[in-house]
């Protein structure tokens, strides 16, 4: 099979690496790719992954059999529908399903129709109405999100009226905002692969979304993740029975079902158990980087089962080990990341993920420019340690994190700690 992966982030590198392990692959391409993908695939750096026409032309030029879309931008520009209409097999959500992520108000109304637990929420379209609402709830903590697609999952939780208004004001210029009650609990990310008759649940992860140790500081697109989450059986069962299965039923009922991935962002609350806070019609970063190295099954065989509507019968093989993913970011991220920094050379066996005994290194915003590895965005490299315990995986990841250097590089030092420190 000749495969094209669309994207240039660390999760796209992780997906490409997963494909590269398959015995069925005889051609692997990534558009546009990054520093890491060029060692396992052919980077099509001139192809805009959000352009349906350019992606289709690349498929014809390189005899592509299958296009994998795990990142948001190509989904929302209609790449999936465009390719399917021209006979090219794809992995990803079509236009009809985009509102699950691209319209939070619709998503909340959907969950209400199927009895799926979520935080109480409110939608505002103008600043005055929102300001009046905040004034009527002094001292209460809320979470503010843009109603439409927010690729980096940036949001604010605060009980300070001035901060809430300052965050909401620019969003309300062009969009509505969704405001929900702040809920305390452990974050859980669960990705489910779906076909017309069943699904496969991948190992659940827990993401670290803030800049500072102890989940303080600014919200980000994700600074680290652990996998699997040590959930009690009763919690796992509740997630399936009250969130995943009703969602899949609702998708079929409303004609929104598709073959691809749906990611559930959850909070396991002490009062009400697991509740849904967002749907993502794609893989999440950095949960994908943490989870993918633990899946031992051949990705092509999984996708073939998906195409044949036999996912429910597929025996997914998962490693019994644990992973800790640590994201290395640029100075100034998430507000104004510095770019153009040269990344110091990393040993080849580490950079190319050749040895099972070393952590996985997945590149994000790093490209070869004039022969040098140069940072091009905010989150640059994810290091994933895999070991028998979360503590050991943490230790393995941070051993390599220290080897990856560029001016202004920073990372959180506590990824995974809460799961093994008392």
């Amino acid at each position: 099979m000749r495969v094209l992966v669309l994207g240039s982030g660390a999760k796209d590198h992780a997906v490409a690496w997963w494909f590269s392990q398959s015995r069925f692959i005889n051609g692997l391409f990534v558009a546009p790719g990054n520093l890491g993908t060029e060692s396992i695939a052919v980077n099509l750096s001139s192809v805009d992954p959000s352009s349906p026409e350019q992606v289709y032309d690349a498929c014809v030029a390189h005899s592509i059999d299958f296009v994998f879309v795990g990142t948001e931008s190509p989904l929302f520009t209609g790449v999936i529908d465009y390719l399917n209409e021209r006979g090219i097999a794809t992995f990803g959500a079509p236009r009809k399903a985009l509102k699950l992520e691209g319209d939070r108000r619709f998503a909340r109304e959907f969950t209400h129709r199927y009895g799926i637990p979520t935080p109480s929420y409110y939608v505002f379209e103008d600043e005055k109405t929102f300001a009046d609402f905040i004034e009527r709830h002094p001292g209460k903590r809320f979470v503010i999100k843009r109603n439409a697609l927010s690729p980096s999952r940036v949001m604010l939780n605060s009980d300070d009226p001035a901060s809430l208004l300052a965050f909401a004001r620019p969003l309300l210029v062009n969009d509505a905002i969704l405001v929900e009650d702040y809920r305390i609990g452990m974050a859980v990310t669960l990705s489910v692969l779906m076909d017309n008759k069943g699904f496969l649940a991948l190992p659940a992860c827990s993401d670290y979304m803030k800049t500072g140790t102890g989940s303080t500081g600014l919200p980000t697109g994700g600074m680290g993740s652990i996998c699997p989450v040590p959930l009690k059986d009763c919690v796992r069962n509740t997630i399936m029975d009250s969130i995943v299965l009703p969602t899949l039923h609702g998708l079929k009922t409303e004609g929104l079902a598709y073959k691809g991935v749906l990611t559930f962002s959850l909070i396991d609350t002490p009062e009400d158990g697991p509740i849904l806070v967002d749907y993502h019609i794609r893989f999440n970063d950095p949960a994908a980087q943490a989870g993918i190295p633990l899946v031992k099954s051949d990705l092509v065989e999984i996708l073939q089962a998906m195409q044949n509507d036999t996912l429910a019968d597929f025996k997914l093989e998962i490693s019994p080990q644990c992973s800790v993913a640590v994201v290395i970011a640029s100075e100034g991220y998430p507000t104004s990341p510095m770019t153009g920094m040269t990344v110091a050379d990393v040993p080849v066996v580490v950079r190319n993920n050749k040895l099972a005994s070393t952590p996985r290194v997945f590149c994000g915003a790093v490209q070869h420019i004039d022969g040098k590895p140069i940072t091009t965005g905010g989150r640059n490299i994810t290091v994933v340690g895999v070991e028998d315990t979360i503590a050991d995986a943490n230790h393995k990841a941070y051993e390599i994190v220290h080897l990856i250097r560029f001016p202004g590089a920073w990372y959180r030092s506590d990824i995974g700690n809460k799961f093994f420190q008392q």
Side-chain angles (χ1 to χ4, degrees), residues 124-249:
F124 298 95
E125 297 181 348
D126 65 88
E127 183 179 339
K128 183 180 185 308
T129 306
F130 176 59
D132 291 344
F133 173 82
I134 294 298
E135 187 176 344
R136 295 195 305 270
H137 297 83
K140 186 169 182 179
R141 183 172 289 268
F142 293 102
V143 179
I144 302 179
K145 306 173 183 179
R146 183 184 175 193
N147 184 63
L149 179 69
S150 181
S152 60
R153 292 184 288 166
V154 171
M155 57 194 72
L156 174 72
N157 76 73
S158 176
D159 58 5
D160 175 54
S163 298
L164 292 168
L165 285 169
F167 186 83
R169 189 172 292 118
L171 299 181
L172 286 165
V173 172
N174 298 310
D175 191 12
I177 58 171
L178 185 133
V179 179
E180 58 188 23
D181 291 350
Y182 176 72
R183 300 299 302 271
I184 295 174
M186 181 172 65
V188 178
T189 298
L190 175 67
S191 290
V192 171
L193 302 176
M194 310 176 294
D195 62 21
N196 290 323
K197 295 183 179 180
F199 69 95
L200 283 178
L202 298 179
C205 304
S206 185
D207 293 344
Y208 290 66
M209 302 305 296
K210 295 291 189 72
T211 56
T213 300
S215 292
T216 58
L218 297 174
T220 73
M223 295 307 302
S225 188
I226 70 99
C227 186
V229 182
L231 297 173
K232 295 180 180 179
D233 288 343
C234 61
V235 174
R236 295 180 190 278
N237 293 337
T238 299
I239 290 173
M240 284 295 158
D241 294 341
S242 67
I243 298 176
V244 174
L245 292 176
T247 295
L248 300 184
H249 170 71

Side-chain angles (χ1 to χ4, degrees), residues 4-8 29-33 42-49 55 58 74:
L4 171 61
V5 176
L6 299 184
S8 60
F29 302 80
V30 186
V42 177
N43 280 355
L44 305 180
S45 57
S46 62
V47 174
D48 178 359
V55 173

